[in-house]
Amino acid sequence: MFRLYNSLTREIEEFRPIDPPKVGLYTCGPTVYDYTHIGHLRTYIGNDILRRVLENEGFEVKHVMNITDVGHLVSDEDIGEDKIEKGAKELGRSVWEVAKFFEDYFWKSVTAVNVECPNIVAKATDHVEEQIKLIHRLEKNGFTYKGDQAIYFDISKFPSYTKLSGQKLAEKEVGARADVVVDKQKKNPHDFALWFFTVGHFQDHIMRWSSPWGEGFPGWHIECSAMAMEYLGDTIDIHTGGVDHISVHHTNEIAQSEAASGRPFVRFWVHNEFLLVDGEKMSKSKKNFYKVEEIKEKGFDPMALRYLFLTAHYRDKLNFTWKSLEAAQNALNNLRETIRDWDQPKVGCAQYEQDFMEAVNNDLNMPQALAVLWEMVKSDYPTSAKAESILMMDKILGLKLDEILGKPLEIPAEVMKLVNKRETARKSGNFKESDKLRHKIKKLGYEIEDTPGGPKINLVN
Ligand code: AMP
Ligand code: ZN
């Protein structure tokens, strides 16, 4: 039985889809105006684990993710400036090129940490018609009004507006994107824009479409409601995103979707906690972020990041340090080297598999699941049994252990020759020579570990 924390009920609940074995899963995708950083990757890896668990349970998952490629403002300081459009000006490229560039970077980054591609990737700019239709429905149902700058959602018409965050309206932060633009016609600061007009602040906005309300562009929140409902129906099983989306973006998604359909929008809301740096959220605006490339430049395998993120529960904050990444890299190397010469998989270790799944099914307790894996690795079970079980576990962990298991390293003859030479030097006490040879071997990509059974050769990561 898979139990999952639901941000809406604030409880861990048994997960049952509306129409088994189908599961509709919607993930808020990236805003493509800047580089994907490893904070984003924490959330997308978390979602990837969730999807793998659902698939492992035998559900047919339809996973939809949006790409926010319509530019929006991101903070008060940026009023009047659109991030994608600003990026375009700085780079001397068209807005479309900028969005495409950062979208490609996003895919490169998530692929490097083995995140599976959603079944449907929906770009906001390809779904403007659906967004207009949804705004039209809201208008017909009496939830909208017209201001100077935009068509707004009137939250006073939707009494359960703050049910997801549980906040009082007075405590709630005002939307941090384009909605902050001053509009004297706005009735309530928390009312949010559904459709912006290309007037005033936005008169030079490049991305623009015609609509029943004149030329303009959609607000940020409406794209997720429109695309989630388009591909997954009025009520979807699971909706995911980072915790920052709870109080504004997802709150607004619920309001728009439920006001239009009259039905509950989402059964399970799943939110990932942040990756921090020095105790602060890793973010584009704080410029305290690292990209996958920087991880690689420092000699790490991006998969060490995936391992690192598995060591913390998805609902706990995780402070990123290079030391912790190094520890994760060492643990992953250790695991890889241990399983390299295991026998071919046969009947697995039932008890460890059961303990592993118990941890996973308990609201994705991956640190506990990893602990079970290591206990099994260190146990006296035959390696053929451990091999079977570790492959089963890795379907969920996604560490690509199948590429390593039972595949001893093929050491080139040139390296082998140096290893033997070093062994002779070492045995005769010529440590200067043996160190020199170790260095030479490392340059060729191999590392020597002296074990009681003789030198063991590993790949330098
Ligand atoms: P954005 O492109 O800013 O909309 O972010 C894409 C996704 O990454 C959202 O679900 C965010 O909540 C999530 N995210 C952003 N920063 C972090 C972080 N530091 N740690 C974890 N998730 C994050
Ligand atoms: Zn969204």
Side-chain angles (χ1 to χ4, degrees):
M1 184 179 53
F2 178 35
R3 291 162 57 77
L4 189 60
Y5 182 81
N6 185 351
S7 310
L8 187 62
T9 58
R10 292 168 197 87
E11 272 177 24
I12 294 179
E13 295 175 44
E14 184 184 337
F15 174 73
R16 284 214 203 95
I18 303 158
D19 181 21
K22 292 187 191 146
V23 171
L25 172 64
Y26 186 89
T27 293
C28 282
T31 308
V32 284
Y33 62 72
D34 209 336
Y35 289 103
T36 300
H37 58 66
I38 62 173
H40 299 129
L41 293 185
R42 182 175 185 210
T43 289
Y44 292 110
I45 290 173
N47 297 164
D48 186 60
I49 302 285
L50 169 61
R51 172 176 164 179
R52 285 166 186 263
V53 171
L54 293 167
E55 281 168 346
N56 193 60
E57 291 279 303
F59 294 123
E60 286 166 22
V61 182
K62 185 170 174 190
H63 187 192
V64 180
M65 188 185 79
N66 66 302
I67 300 280
T68 302
D69 57 349
V70 177
H72 297 96
L73 306 166
V74 291
S75 73
D76 292 26
E77 300 141 43
D78 293 320
I79 287 183
E81 263 181 319
D82 177 295
K83 277 281 180 171
I84 293 185
E85 304 217 347
K86 188 178 161 202
K89 266 183 224 150
E90 279 170 8
L91 298 169
R93 301 256 173 88
S94 81
V95 282
W96 305 94
E97 281 172 328
V98 169
K100 174 81 174 64
F101 173 84
F102 288 117
E103 190 196 336
D104 288 348
Y105 194 85
F106 168 79
W107 290 118
K108 246 180 27 199
S109 306
V110 288
T111 307
V113 290
N114 200 24
V115 167
E116 284 175 4
C117 187
N119 306 96
I120 295 174
V121 176
K123 280 192 202 174
T125 52
D126 287 339
H127 294 78
V128 174
E129 205 178 303
E130 286 80 356
Q131 297 176 68
I132 290 173
K133 267 192 205 149
L134 186 56
I135 300 168
H136 209 67
R137 267 170 92 186
L138 289 170
E139 192 175 42
K140 254 179 38 206
N141 292 356
F143 287 91
T144 67
Y145 64 90
K146 190 168 177 286
D148 291 334
Q149 303 276 341
I151 300 285
Y152 293 102
F153 185 95
D154 184 348
I155 64 162
S156 69
K157 302 271 170 61
F158 192 77
S160 58
Y161 179 64
T162 56
K163 66 183 168 189
L164 181 64
S165 68
Q167 285 173 313
K168 294 200 174 69
L169 259 191
E171 296 164 358
K172 189 178 166 300
E173 58 178 290
V174 177
R177 299 210 181 192
D179 328 1
V180 291
V181 169
V182 183
D183 186 334
K184 290 201 183 76
Q185 302 302 318
K186 214 168 154 179
K187 294 188 199 162
N188 182 320
H190 298 292
D191 289 346
F192 55 93
L194 298 165
W195 185 265
F196 287 102
F197 311 133
T198 34
V199 296
H201 282 305
F202 304 117
Q203 61 184 345
D204 297 326
H205 204 271
I206 296 165
M207 285 189 183
R208 52 178 71 197
W209 293 265
S210 51
S211 82
W213 314 281
E215 212 176 45
F217 60 100
W220 171 41
H221 314 292
I222 196 74
E223 72 181 60
C224 284
S225 288
M227 297 192 275
M229 291 161 90
E230 169 75 13
Y231 292 108
L232 298 169
D234 286 348
T235 306
I236 64 183
D237 291 303
I238 308 178
H239 192 314
T240 67
V243 285
D244 51 338
H245 286 344
I246 296 175
S247 69
V248 181
H249 182 49
H250 290 168
T251 287
N252 291 351
E253 276 190 46
I254 293 176
Q256 296 162 151
S257 309
E258 299 190 354
S261 74
R263 299 202 183 96
F265 176 43
V266 170
R267 283 268 300 108
F268 275 78
W269 282 97
V270 175
H271 291 104
N272 235 95
E273 250 302 348
F274 289 146
L275 184 68
L276 312 178
V277 188
D278 299 329
E280 271 199 277
K281 180 193 172 193
M282 183 178 285
S283 70
K284 292 170 182 170
S285 55
K286 288 200 194 95
K287 301 259 183 244
N288 61 352
F289 63 85
Y290 302 113
K291 302 180 294 225
V292 162
E293 262 159 28
E294 288 159 286
I295 300 290
K296 285 199 213 159
E297 275 161 21
K298 288 206 185 241
F300 292 101
D301 175 348
M303 291 300 280
L305 261 186
R306 187 169 177 112
Y307 188 99
L308 173 63
F309 296 161
L310 286 167
T311 63
H313 191 266
Y314 77 97
R315 286 197 288 122
D316 288 333
K317 293 182 173 65
L318 175 63
N319 198 46
F320 176 79
T321 61
W322 291 104
K323 239 192 158 90
S324 63
L325 185 59
E326 201 178 315
Q329 180 75 70
N330 287 340
L332 182 60
N333 289 351
N334 195 354
L335 183 59
R336 285 170 171 168
E337 293 323 317
T338 308
I339 67 172
R340 220 180 249 294
D341 39 23
W342 278 5
D343 291 334
Q344 285 307 304
K346 279 199 199 123
V347 185
C349 320
Q351 187 59 50
Y352 284 121
E353 288 186 14
Q354 196 182 318
D355 292 351
F356 179 89
M357 282 317 299
E358 223 163 80
V360 168
N361 285 337
N362 179 17
D363 190 29
L364 304 170
N365 189 343
M366 302 317 291
Q368 176 65 23
L370 259 192
V372 173
L373 175 143
W374 275 108
E375 207 183 302
M376 182 196 71
V377 168
K378 290 178 179 159
S379 76
D380 294 333
Y381 273 88
T383 61
S384 62
K386 295 198 278 191
E388 174 74 18
S389 295
I390 213 163
L391 290 182
M392 170 259 153
M393 294 173 182
D394 200 41
K395 277 200 186 125
I396 288 165
L397 303 174
L399 293 171
K400 293 192 183 175
L401 299 179
D402 57 328
E403 291 180 5
I404 308 262
L405 191 131
K407 297 188 178 96
L409 270 186
E410 282 178 27
I411 319 274
E414 179 196 2
V415 174
M416 230 27 244
K417 227 161 128 184
L418 291 172
V419 171
N420 292 335
K421 233 169 125 181
R422 176 183 170 270
E423 197 54 9
T424 314
R426 204 174 66 91
K427 277 190 178 146
S428 61
N430 189 351
F431 296 114
K432 208 170 157 196
E433 175 68 6
S434 108
D435 270 357
K436 232 168 93 186
L437 287 161
R438 177 198 283 275
H439 219 72
K440 232 172 160 178
I441 294 164
K442 195 164 184 181
K443 274 199 172 152
L444 294 171
Y446 295 85
E447 212 151 27
I448 301 191
E449 190 190 334
D450 292 313
T451 72
K456 202 172 165 222
I457 306 151
N458 299 324
L459 271 181
V460 177
N461 66 67

